[in-house]
Amino acid sequence: MVLHALRATDCATLTEITRVTGLSRPTVEGVVEGLIENGLVVEKAAEEGAARRQGRPARRFRFRAEAGHLLGLEIGPHRVAALLADLDGRVLGAMAKEVDEGASADERLERLRIAVAELLRRAGVARSSLRAVGVGSPGIVEADGTVRLGTALPEWTGLRLGERLSRSFKCPVLVENDANAAAVAEHWKGAATESDDIVFVLAGLSPGAGSLIGGRLHRGYGGAAGEIGALHLLGREVTPETLLSTTDEPLHPLDEQAVAEVFALAKGGDQRARAAVDRFIQRLVHDVAALVLALDPELVVVGGWAAGLDGVLEPLRRELARYCLRPPKVTLSLLGEAAVATGALRLALDHVEEQLFAVEGTVTARR
Amino acid sequence: MVLHALRATDCATLTEITRVTGLSRPTVEGVVEGLIENGLVVEKAAEEGAARRQGRPARRFRFRAEAGHLLGLEIGPHRVAALLADLDGRVLGAMAKEVDEGASADERLERLRIAVAELLRRAGVARSSLRAVGVGSPGIVEADGTVRLGTALPEWTGLRLGERLSRSFKCPVLVENDANAAAVAEHWKGAATESDDIVFVLAGLSPGAGSLIGGRLHRGYGGAAGEIGALHLLGREVTPETLLSTTDEPLHPLDEQAVAEVFALAKGGDQRARAAVDRFIQRLVHDVAALVLALDPELVVVGGWAAGLDGVLEPLRRELARYCLRPPKVTLSLLGEAAVATGALRLALDHVEEQLFAVEGTVTARR
């Protein structure tokens, strides 16, 4: 409770903490002393080196968000990215590296390690200061951080991703599906801060989705919730790569550059490209409708590709309104390509908060 | 806590209750006296009329499950049904009445009232003894019991069903979507007692579904979760009525008799009927796959029609295994046509238990 009170404000006096928490003054004093010993709280005056002035002004304390650090990592087909934050979740730095879509798992993880090392060095943060690392990755991720199935990246299925990354860190490493992480991010500081019941659609050639129900991530019984990429196979329909192609050859499944070109051509009035985009949107509408009918969210956030997706919004709204018994609001991602790493960061922050407040809970229970 | 302890056993002494609850003997005595005054608990010896024997044997108390009653009601296209139970949820009687699929809302509700009156009279239970009434109905049901949208029954959309039924009862009336109620029922005493993450599919011509996530009903933001009946419309595919027809004329949407005949013909080897059933199963597989990909349940329970559905199970398992990244178990409903009313009864029981134990919670908090 004391930690909660201190984190909610810049700094506070013992009297203020006593008032906010409802705890007795001796209790608050004891807890604050303990938190100072742990390095999580500091006395403002002492920190500022100011001599106590006459009249003995009340001592003021503040939460030391700099007492530890967090990483939010993204592993994607074309890039790896890392976000560094303090214990308040305030972002201190970011780093991204391109990676070849055909890179082996080893190469991809090595690129990520390089990005992290560079990010920590530039920010002047010691690796030992890290309290938790969140990771967003394509694929179905099990609770222990193993990728059960991941067709989007080479050598990804079966990869013990959590264990591999843990070798680089002494703190806990939490691995989550990328669309799930993005859903958490949009809810934290993106397009979905006002809603607790959302579906985030990662609209790639193989679309995935993450959903929050009552503000909590819905992973499903086996961590596979939202993996709607296979839905079209049941209708015996063609793949998105074929839908979006303007030639007789399907696009490469991971070639987002080619996709962006088709979208650009369609905008420019090219007939074949426009037809391809229409086919693609129809598919996306169908996949999103399946999610919406199953889950009935308040809000659908569409993200994934930076380019071209704005044209998706209107047809999506129109078709969902036609076929869903209770159509949701539909909006574009606000976080764009930062969504996955931001969500991974939030998951790391959740973990640390749980730890911090669990300690506090134990103290309370013991009283 | 005392009520919990007493409900968990046939009868108990004050010493036993004290041991199980960890409460002090005076507290237990006080609470038991209060419960006796409320009529929820009775002393065994007093009840049996036996004079206290020599040696003063310990007084024994039991929960009076007969102190109140519950109803679980089902409103369907072809019938209305009612289940009567005591406060332990033990079923004391059942009653069903046929109703014409074209009946007006007034007629349908009147049939239900007649069924309830007959059931209460036969069981010798006074209407004033009812503590809660659960109702399962087709359609999207809002929190206040209004049917927002219900195309399966005439005059159903917009019907203030909760309010209409409340006129017949002095206790709370809780209205729930029929597939949701069936999901709750299968989890309570049907095919899904071992799993907390389930999807129940009401496989009619217009399929609906209900799901439990972590053992709790997932209604969706607007109560429309699982309403997958519209999914095929997006693919511009034909309706189930056409799929299942063996002539050029579609079946009537609510004609389950005709459906049963097609299933029977297919079993007998009729080629056209077999083709029709195959088309229907393919559609059902697609709808269920959409639910499974979105939610990732541990178990899918298929119910709805009594006849013909056993042939659905194998193709469903096979296709889900092909296309779902983590295929769920698939099984048939154990409760059959009793599922909806049973689930409605469970919802009434949940409501009463909440009330009983909320009172108890208040007492505890006051200590």
PDB file of all heavy atoms in Angstrom, chain B residues 305-324:
ATOM      1  N   TRP B 305     -29.675 -31.025 -31.719  1.00  0.00           N
ATOM      2  CA  TRP B 305     -30.641 -31.993 -32.220  1.00  0.00           C
ATOM      3  C   TRP B 305     -30.403 -33.344 -31.586  1.00  0.00           C
ATOM      4  O   TRP B 305     -29.266 -33.820 -31.516  1.00  0.00           O
ATOM      5  CB  TRP B 305     -30.518 -32.132 -33.732  1.00  0.00           C
ATOM      6  CG  TRP B 305     -31.047 -30.959 -34.451  1.00  0.00           C
ATOM      7  CD1 TRP B 305     -32.124 -30.202 -34.105  1.00  0.00           C
ATOM      8  CD2 TRP B 305     -30.523 -30.390 -35.642  1.00  0.00           C
ATOM      9  NE1 TRP B 305     -32.314 -29.206 -35.006  1.00  0.00           N
ATOM     10  CE2 TRP B 305     -31.348 -29.304 -35.966  1.00  0.00           C
ATOM     11  CE3 TRP B 305     -29.461 -30.714 -36.473  1.00  0.00           C
ATOM     12  CZ2 TRP B 305     -31.122 -28.515 -37.084  1.00  0.00           C
ATOM     13  CZ3 TRP B 305     -29.244 -29.941 -37.582  1.00  0.00           C
ATOM     14  CH2 TRP B 305     -30.076 -28.850 -37.881  1.00  0.00           C
ATOM     15  N   ALA B 306     -31.481 -33.984 -31.202  1.00  0.00           N
ATOM     16  CA  ALA B 306     -31.334 -35.312 -30.627  1.00  0.00           C
ATOM     17  C   ALA B 306     -30.872 -36.302 -31.703  1.00  0.00           C
ATOM     18  O   ALA B 306     -30.024 -37.145 -31.465  1.00  0.00           O
ATOM     19  CB  ALA B 306     -32.658 -35.773 -30.029  1.00  0.00           C
ATOM     20  N   ALA B 307     -31.409 -36.145 -32.904  1.00  0.00           N
ATOM     21  CA  ALA B 307     -31.168 -37.153 -33.936  1.00  0.00           C
ATOM     22  C   ALA B 307     -30.065 -36.751 -34.901  1.00  0.00           C
ATOM     23  O   ALA B 307     -29.941 -35.588 -35.274  1.00  0.00           O
ATOM     24  CB  ALA B 307     -32.449 -37.392 -34.731  1.00  0.00           C
ATOM     25  N   GLY B 308     -29.253 -37.699 -35.282  1.00  0.00           N
ATOM     26  CA  GLY B 308     -28.343 -37.494 -36.401  1.00  0.00           C
ATOM     27  C   GLY B 308     -27.003 -36.916 -36.046  1.00  0.00           C
ATOM     28  O   GLY B 308     -26.053 -37.017 -36.816  1.00  0.00           O
ATOM     29  N   LEU B 309     -26.883 -36.295 -34.862  1.00  0.00           N
ATOM     30  CA  LEU B 309     -25.645 -35.585 -34.569  1.00  0.00           C
ATOM     31  C   LEU B 309     -24.466 -36.522 -34.323  1.00  0.00           C
ATOM     32  O   LEU B 309     -23.317 -36.078 -34.403  1.00  0.00           O
ATOM     33  CB  LEU B 309     -25.837 -34.648 -33.378  1.00  0.00           C
ATOM     34  CG  LEU B 309     -26.477 -33.310 -33.744  1.00  0.00           C
ATOM     35  CD1 LEU B 309     -26.607 -32.446 -32.520  1.00  0.00           C
ATOM     36  CD2 LEU B 309     -25.654 -32.596 -34.808  1.00  0.00           C
ATOM     37  N   ASP B 310     -24.726 -37.788 -34.008  1.00  0.00           N
ATOM     38  CA  ASP B 310     -23.595 -38.686 -33.765  1.00  0.00           C
ATOM     39  C   ASP B 310     -22.716 -38.815 -35.010  1.00  0.00           C
ATOM     40  O   ASP B 310     -21.522 -39.034 -34.912  1.00  0.00           O
ATOM     41  CB  ASP B 310     -24.073 -40.057 -33.266  1.00  0.00           C
ATOM     42  CG  ASP B 310     -25.180 -40.617 -34.157  1.00  0.00           C
ATOM     43  OD1 ASP B 310     -25.939 -39.806 -34.700  1.00  0.00           O
ATOM     44  OD2 ASP B 310     -25.282 -41.842 -34.306  1.00  0.00           O
ATOM     45  N   GLY B 311     -23.316 -38.638 -36.179  1.00  0.00           N
ATOM     46  CA  GLY B 311     -22.527 -38.705 -37.410  1.00  0.00           C
ATOM     47  C   GLY B 311     -21.648 -37.481 -37.620  1.00  0.00           C
ATOM     48  O   GLY B 311     -20.785 -37.470 -38.489  1.00  0.00           O
ATOM     49  N   VAL B 312     -21.859 -36.460 -36.821  1.00  0.00           N
ATOM     50  CA  VAL B 312     -21.119 -35.208 -36.970  1.00  0.00           C
ATOM     51  C   VAL B 312     -19.751 -35.288 -36.302  1.00  0.00           C
ATOM     52  O   VAL B 312     -18.799 -34.627 -36.697  1.00  0.00           O
ATOM     53  CB  VAL B 312     -21.938 -34.053 -36.340  1.00  0.00           C
ATOM     54  CG1 VAL B 312     -21.103 -32.805 -36.180  1.00  0.00           C
ATOM     55  CG2 VAL B 312     -23.172 -33.768 -37.187  1.00  0.00           C
ATOM     56  N   LEU B 313     -19.672 -36.132 -35.270  1.00  0.00           N
ATOM     57  CA  LEU B 313     -18.515 -36.116 -34.379  1.00  0.00           C
ATOM     58  C   LEU B 313     -17.192 -36.425 -35.082  1.00  0.00           C
ATOM     59  O   LEU B 313     -16.211 -35.681 -34.936  1.00  0.00           O
ATOM     60  CB  LEU B 313     -18.755 -37.133 -33.256  1.00  0.00           C
ATOM     61  CG  LEU B 313     -18.394 -36.666 -31.861  1.00  0.00           C
ATOM     62  CD1 LEU B 313     -19.018 -35.329 -31.547  1.00  0.00           C
ATOM     63  CD2 LEU B 313     -18.824 -37.712 -30.848  1.00  0.00           C
ATOM     64  N   GLU B 314     -17.167 -37.514 -35.860  1.00  0.00           N
ATOM     65  CA  GLU B 314     -15.901 -37.923 -36.468  1.00  0.00           C
ATOM     66  C   GLU B 314     -15.378 -36.905 -37.485  1.00  0.00           C
ATOM     67  O   GLU B 314     -14.211 -36.518 -37.424  1.00  0.00           O
ATOM     68  CB  GLU B 314     -16.029 -39.323 -37.078  1.00  0.00           C
ATOM     69  CG  GLU B 314     -15.634 -40.416 -36.113  1.00  0.00           C
ATOM     70  CD  GLU B 314     -14.403 -40.068 -35.265  1.00  0.00           C
ATOM     71  OE1 GLU B 314     -13.368 -39.725 -35.856  1.00  0.00           O
ATOM     72  OE2 GLU B 314     -14.479 -40.110 -34.026  1.00  0.00           O
ATOM     73  N   PRO B 315     -16.232 -36.457 -38.438  1.00  0.00           N
ATOM     74  CA  PRO B 315     -15.740 -35.434 -39.377  1.00  0.00           C
ATOM     75  C   PRO B 315     -15.274 -34.176 -38.659  1.00  0.00           C
ATOM     76  O   PRO B 315     -14.269 -33.565 -39.057  1.00  0.00           O
ATOM     77  CB  PRO B 315     -16.965 -35.121 -40.249  1.00  0.00           C
ATOM     78  CG  PRO B 315     -17.965 -36.164 -39.969  1.00  0.00           C
ATOM     79  CD  PRO B 315     -17.585 -36.918 -38.755  1.00  0.00           C
ATOM     80  N   LEU B 316     -15.964 -33.810 -37.593  1.00  0.00           N
ATOM     81  CA  LEU B 316     -15.607 -32.612 -36.849  1.00  0.00           C
ATOM     82  C   LEU B 316     -14.222 -32.771 -36.230  1.00  0.00           C
ATOM     83  O   LEU B 316     -13.354 -31.894 -36.357  1.00  0.00           O
ATOM     84  CB  LEU B 316     -16.657 -32.383 -35.755  1.00  0.00           C
ATOM     85  CG  LEU B 316     -16.783 -30.987 -35.165  1.00  0.00           C
ATOM     86  CD1 LEU B 316     -16.946 -29.937 -36.230  1.00  0.00           C
ATOM     87  CD2 LEU B 316     -17.988 -30.947 -34.213  1.00  0.00           C
ATOM     88  N   ARG B 317     -13.993 -33.904 -35.590  1.00  0.00           N
ATOM     89  CA  ARG B 317     -12.678 -34.166 -34.992  1.00  0.00           C
ATOM     90  C   ARG B 317     -11.585 -34.151 -36.052  1.00  0.00           C
ATOM     91  O   ARG B 317     -10.527 -33.559 -35.869  1.00  0.00           O
ATOM     92  CB  ARG B 317     -12.667 -35.550 -34.321  1.00  0.00           C
ATOM     93  CG  ARG B 317     -13.357 -35.573 -32.992  1.00  0.00           C
ATOM     94  CD  ARG B 317     -13.022 -36.870 -32.238  1.00  0.00           C
ATOM     95  NE  ARG B 317     -13.819 -36.931 -31.018  1.00  0.00           N
ATOM     96  CZ  ARG B 317     -14.693 -37.895 -30.736  1.00  0.00           C
ATOM     97  NH1 ARG B 317     -14.877 -38.894 -31.553  1.00  0.00           N
ATOM     98  NH2 ARG B 317     -15.370 -37.853 -29.600  1.00  0.00           N
ATOM     99  N   ARG B 318     -11.858 -34.806 -37.180  1.00  0.00           N
ATOM    100  CA  ARG B 318     -10.851 -34.953 -38.234  1.00  0.00           C
ATOM    101  C   ARG B 318     -10.478 -33.586 -38.801  1.00  0.00           C
ATOM    102  O   ARG B 318      -9.313 -33.244 -38.948  1.00  0.00           O
ATOM    103  CB  ARG B 318     -11.420 -35.851 -39.336  1.00  0.00           C
ATOM    104  CG  ARG B 318     -10.385 -36.362 -40.330  1.00  0.00           C
ATOM    105  CD  ARG B 318     -11.019 -37.340 -41.290  1.00  0.00           C
ATOM    106  NE  ARG B 318     -12.176 -36.767 -41.970  1.00  0.00           N
ATOM    107  CZ  ARG B 318     -13.405 -37.304 -41.956  1.00  0.00           C
ATOM    108  NH1 ARG B 318     -13.629 -38.424 -41.319  1.00  0.00           N
ATOM    109  NH2 ARG B 318     -14.399 -36.710 -42.598  1.00  0.00           N
ATOM    110  N   GLU B 319     -11.501 -32.774 -39.098  1.00  0.00           N
ATOM    111  CA  GLU B 319     -11.237 -31.484 -39.734  1.00  0.00           C
ATOM    112  C   GLU B 319     -10.592 -30.502 -38.759  1.00  0.00           C
ATOM    113  O   GLU B 319      -9.718 -29.733 -39.130  1.00  0.00           O
ATOM    114  CB  GLU B 319     -12.532 -30.895 -40.298  1.00  0.00           C
ATOM    115  CG  GLU B 319     -13.145 -31.723 -41.408  1.00  0.00           C
ATOM    116  CD  GLU B 319     -12.369 -31.609 -42.709  1.00  0.00           C
ATOM    117  OE1 GLU B 319     -12.419 -30.556 -43.359  1.00  0.00           O
ATOM    118  OE2 GLU B 319     -11.684 -32.600 -43.072  1.00  0.00           O
ATOM    119  N   LEU B 320     -11.043 -30.527 -37.505  1.00  0.00           N
ATOM    120  CA  LEU B 320     -10.425 -29.630 -36.517  1.00  0.00           C
ATOM    121  C   LEU B 320      -8.957 -30.003 -36.319  1.00  0.00           C
ATOM    122  O   LEU B 320      -8.102 -29.128 -36.165  1.00  0.00           O
ATOM    123  CB  LEU B 320     -11.179 -29.686 -35.185  1.00  0.00           C
ATOM    124  CG  LEU B 320     -12.567 -29.040 -35.172  1.00  0.00           C
ATOM    125  CD1 LEU B 320     -13.209 -29.181 -33.802  1.00  0.00           C
ATOM    126  CD2 LEU B 320     -12.496 -27.563 -35.562  1.00  0.00           C
ATOM    127  N   ALA B 321      -8.657 -31.297 -36.332  1.00  0.00           N
ATOM    128  CA  ALA B 321      -7.265 -31.731 -36.171  1.00  0.00           C
ATOM    129  C   ALA B 321      -6.423 -31.248 -37.341  1.00  0.00           C
ATOM    130  O   ALA B 321      -5.238 -30.949 -37.199  1.00  0.00           O
ATOM    131  CB  ALA B 321      -7.204 -33.254 -36.060  1.00  0.00           C
ATOM    132  N   ARG B 322      -7.047 -31.152 -38.517  1.00  0.00           N
ATOM    133  CA  ARG B 322      -6.290 -30.705 -39.700  1.00  0.00           C
ATOM    134  C   ARG B 322      -5.996 -29.217 -39.656  1.00  0.00           C
ATOM    135  O   ARG B 322      -4.934 -28.772 -40.086  1.00  0.00           O
ATOM    136  CB  ARG B 322      -7.097 -30.992 -40.974  1.00  0.00           C
ATOM    137  CG  ARG B 322      -6.849 -32.360 -41.544  1.00  0.00           C
ATOM    138  CD  ARG B 322      -7.702 -32.600 -42.771  1.00  0.00           C
ATOM    139  NE  ARG B 322      -7.209 -31.914 -43.961  1.00  0.00           N
ATOM    140  CZ  ARG B 322      -7.863 -31.925 -45.121  1.00  0.00           C
ATOM    141  NH1 ARG B 322      -9.011 -32.554 -45.221  1.00  0.00           N
ATOM    142  NH2 ARG B 322      -7.372 -31.296 -46.166  1.00  0.00           N
ATOM    143  N   TYR B 323      -6.959 -28.436 -39.187  1.00  0.00           N
ATOM    144  CA  TYR B 323      -6.842 -26.992 -39.377  1.00  0.00           C
ATOM    145  C   TYR B 323      -6.574 -26.188 -38.112  1.00  0.00           C
ATOM    146  O   TYR B 323      -6.170 -25.040 -38.200  1.00  0.00           O
ATOM    147  CB  TYR B 323      -8.089 -26.461 -40.084  1.00  0.00           C
ATOM    148  CG  TYR B 323      -8.200 -27.008 -41.466  1.00  0.00           C
ATOM    149  CD1 TYR B 323      -9.211 -27.877 -41.819  1.00  0.00           C
ATOM    150  CD2 TYR B 323      -7.236 -26.684 -42.418  1.00  0.00           C
ATOM    151  CE1 TYR B 323      -9.289 -28.408 -43.092  1.00  0.00           C
ATOM    152  CE2 TYR B 323      -7.298 -27.212 -43.694  1.00  0.00           C
ATOM    153  CZ  TYR B 323      -8.332 -28.068 -44.026  1.00  0.00           C
ATOM    154  OH  TYR B 323      -8.392 -28.583 -45.274  1.00  0.00           O
ATOM    155  N   CYS B 324      -6.832 -26.758 -36.959  1.00  0.00           N
ATOM    156  CA  CYS B 324      -6.582 -25.988 -35.741  1.00  0.00           C
ATOM    157  C   CYS B 324      -5.170 -26.268 -35.266  1.00  0.00           C
ATOM    158  O   CYS B 324      -4.716 -27.404 -35.279  1.00  0.00           O
ATOM    159  CB  CYS B 324      -7.587 -26.344 -34.659  1.00  0.00           C
ATOM    160  SG  CYS B 324      -9.241 -25.831 -35.105  1.00  0.00           S
TER     161      CYS B 324
END
